[in-house]
Amino acid sequence: MDTAFQTALHVMIYGYGILAFSSLIVVVLIIGLRRLLIRRAEKGG
Amino acid sequence: MAEITIVSLLQFFKGITAFFEVDPLYSLVRLLLIIMGVVLIWLGYKHVLEPLIMVPMGLGMTLVNAGTLMLPGERLGNLFVNPIAEEPSEIVEALQIYFLQPFYTLTFTNNLIACLIFLGVGAMTDIEYLIARPLLSMALAIAAELGTLVTFPIAVALGFNFKEAAAIAIIGGADGPMVIYTSIMLAKHLFVIITVVAYLYLSIIYMLYPFLIKAMVPKRLRGIEMPPLYEIQRITPREKFIFTIALSTVLCLLFPVAAPLFACFFLGVAIKEINIPRYKEVADLILSGSTMFLGFVLGCLLSADVVLNPKVSLIALLGIIAIILSGVGGLAAGLLAYKISKGRVNPLVGVAAVSCIPSTAKIAQYSAKEANPMAMILPHAMGASVGGVITTGILAGFYITICGLLG
């Protein structure tokens, strides 16, 4: 297989990995921050 | 004597004489671009294509090709803009000759135009929907980047280098400002063609995706009703503001190369959430003004020599592949979400994850309503759409970084 194409395929797979990881960070941030805010609101009365 | 008079008279009409002073193929393309520009104006005027961008673009295309003349040094050109001026002395000279040069030099070459449009888009985006259902929205958005990722190796196989391939692949994200930003960063020599192709496809997304939806999703699934978001979670304006600051900070931390885009998008979102009417008016004005000038300058950059680039047809082909694959990816993930949620998620939310905000969300809602007039999926679709903006930004950052490493 052509080396450039092979590299491009690797880039595509890396891309999926980076995308999934970054999206997971976004999801964890949203859920975590939201729980924190809800807890603070409950403490505040 | 009469002949000399006619020839002398013709010299006054330099746009017409320029047709006969160069290669006939060039003149033919010039004529075709004038006609194509008129067609775009008409389709925009009739609202078949997005008028905000297509009318100024078509007008620019028509006028720049009509207003072509022989410049000193026996070269064909116009008095609109000179995109090939790169050396400081050339730019200074161009600024004094071409009337759009200040706008092009100060807003296109440094990506300010993409950032300004993103600011305006942010100001009309509500991130409430993303915060309410982050997992579903982001999962669908990842799947809807299928075209953005798969088109990259296809473009490389067709002979484009890594930077060009990445700039073309980002069309799959269906996000105009992202395409401008990435193509200027990675393949400046192809930026006009890539951006025009992207905006043309974004304009026909209203016609294209409904076919895709009908082909992939049965009617009974299209009409599934989803609960209103307030039944799931209620988000306060204070929470939305805090999320805006936190999200933008984290995304800029992860991808500094795409930070200008994230910064402007979330500045727009913050303007919306801070709820100062004067700020909102400024953001609206920036969006309208930037979109109009973007369309006009892009049209003015579309001269015959740009279109005669042999790569144009390949870019057009790859662009449509990217857009279709992203739609397929989003819908496939929507169908999977429907299965996993045991029928509580309408699969059409998946197509909204192709970020073209808010067009794809509107298409999803329209198709759902067509199948079931009671179906209201727009809030959920908007969540997926905002997720799509974020994932496209992430991929823009990824491509710019990795292409820098690959050289």
Side-chain angles (χ1 to χ4, degrees), chain A residues 2-5 7-9 11-16 18-27 29-31 33-34 37-38 40, chain B residues 130-131 134-135 138 142 145-146 149-150 152-153 156-157 162 233-235 239 242-243 246-247 250-251 255 391 394 398 402 406:
Chain A
D2 178 23
T3 321
F5 182 65
T7 311
L9 282 178
V11 168
M12 185 186 85
I13 295 161
Y14 273 136
Y16 267 116
I18 297 281
L19 184 61
F21 177 70
S22 311
S23 302
L24 187 68
I25 291 176
V26 171
V27 172
L29 177 79
I30 292 175
I31 294 173
L33 205 57
R34 186 147 169 75
L37 288 170
I38 290 170
R40 272 181 66 96
Chain B
L130 172 70
I131 300 169
L135 192 58
M138 292 306 289
I142 293 172
E145 296 296 349
L146 185 70
L149 284 161
V150 173
F152 180 74
V156 170
F162 292 129
Q233 274 182 351
R234 187 172 289 278
I235 318 289
E239 281 176 351
I242 293 170
F243 279 115
L247 257 179
V250 168
L251 286 169
F255 297 101
T391 50
I394 290 171
F398 166 73
I402 201 137
L406 290 169

Side-chain angles (χ1 to χ4, degrees), chain B residues 273-288:
Chain B
E273 296 310 330
I274 207 165
N275 206 15
I276 298 175
R278 271 184 299 172
Y279 270 18
K280 187 76 179 62
E281 282 166 23
V282 171
D284 287 344
L285 194 68
I286 286 175
L287 179 62
S288 313

Side-chain angles (χ1 to χ4, degrees), chain B residues 181-194:
Chain B
Y181 189 86
T182 316
S183 57
I184 287 180
M185 292 282 258
L186 294 177
K188 206 176 167 194
H189 58 293
L190 293 179
F191 125 80
V192 177
I193 286 297
I194 293 174

